[in-house]
Amino acid sequence: MDKPITKRIASVLIGIAYTTFGILMITNPATTLKALSLIAGIIILITGFAYLFLNKENSDKQDSTMRMIEAILLMLLGLMFLFGNHLNNMLLLSYLLLFWIIIDSMLQLNFSLHREKSPYRTINIVIDLIIVASSIYVLFNPLLAEMTLVIFVGFTFIGTGATKVIKEM
């Protein structure tokens, strides 16, 4: 059964909004970095408070102490993202994203090397090597690291918006 027309229109409008936000992110990187810093700060601060106040039910003293320390560190990190230099904050997030990409690609490369030989195996190996090499290159260029984060988030929004619109056509 087809969806009602109002739901389809709403989905297309949401897709257009996502695509527009993605384009705005890519065309205004400084504003995007500031917004991402504020959003990350709010989320991390709320997570820290949640760890602090949801910690009451645990009876293990050592685990409780570790959760308390983690909550305090998260709250400090959240405050740093809210009130600190947004460019430095995003540089930190960019590097964390790059390290994650490098580790993930190396794990995928290891997996591909242990698979049986096939054309897909070779393609996977080449792609993973390119990702690792380009990520290592970006690690040594801080401006490129921040731009990579902005472009990654922008294209994610554009892709999400496009798929929402296409799905309803």
Side-chain angles (χ1 to χ4, degrees):
M1 184 171 188
D2 286 333
K3 284 195 239 181
I5 191 73
T6 54
K7 286 188 179 183
R8 292 181 71 192
I9 291 172
S11 185
V12 168
L13 290 176
I14 290 170
I16 291 170
Y18 268 90
T19 304
T20 303
F21 283 133
I23 292 168
L24 288 173
M25 286 177 182
I26 292 171
T27 57
N28 300 310
T31 305
T32 301
L33 289 173
K34 189 177 284 189
L36 287 174
S37 182
L38 291 174
I39 291 168
I42 291 168
I43 292 171
I44 293 169
L45 191 61
I46 290 171
T47 304
F49 276 115
Y51 271 36
L52 187 64
F53 294 115
L54 299 177
N55 193 23
K56 306 293 184 212
E57 61 208 36
N58 198 347
S59 61
D60 184 12
K61 182 78 170 158
Q62 184 178 4
D63 189 45
S64 178
T65 303
M66 291 304 291
R67 293 281 249 171
M68 178 79 72
I69 292 170
E70 187 176 5
I72 292 169
L73 290 174
L74 281 170
M75 287 187 293
L76 290 173
L77 184 64
L79 290 172
M80 179 194 84
F81 273 94
L82 284 174
F83 301 111
N85 181 341
H86 70 276
L87 291 175
N88 289 340
N89 297 339
M90 287 302 99
L91 187 59
L92 173 69
L93 279 182
S94 299
Y95 281 129
L96 290 174
L97 176 66
L98 282 170
F99 280 118
W100 173 72
I101 290 170
I102 290 170
I103 290 170
D104 183 60
S105 293
M106 290 175 125
L107 290 171
Q108 290 298 323
L109 181 62
N110 186 36
F111 175 73
S112 295
L113 289 172
H114 291 91
R115 288 181 66 189
E116 60 187 54
K117 294 193 184 248
S118 74
Y120 299 115
R121 175 183 180 232
T122 307
I123 293 170
N124 283 344
I125 291 171
V126 169
I127 290 172
D128 288 328
L129 286 173
I130 291 170
I131 291 171
V132 169
S134 62
S135 296
I136 289 172
Y137 173 74
V138 171
L139 277 176
F140 295 104
N141 188 340
L143 182 60
L144 189 58
E146 287 180 341
M147 291 309 298
T148 301
L149 179 67
V150 169
I151 291 170
F152 177 76
V153 172
F155 276 118
T156 300
F157 268 80
I158 291 170
T160 302
T163 56
K164 286 185 179 300
V165 171
I166 291 168
K167 184 175 76 175
E168 297 304 326
M169 295 297 172

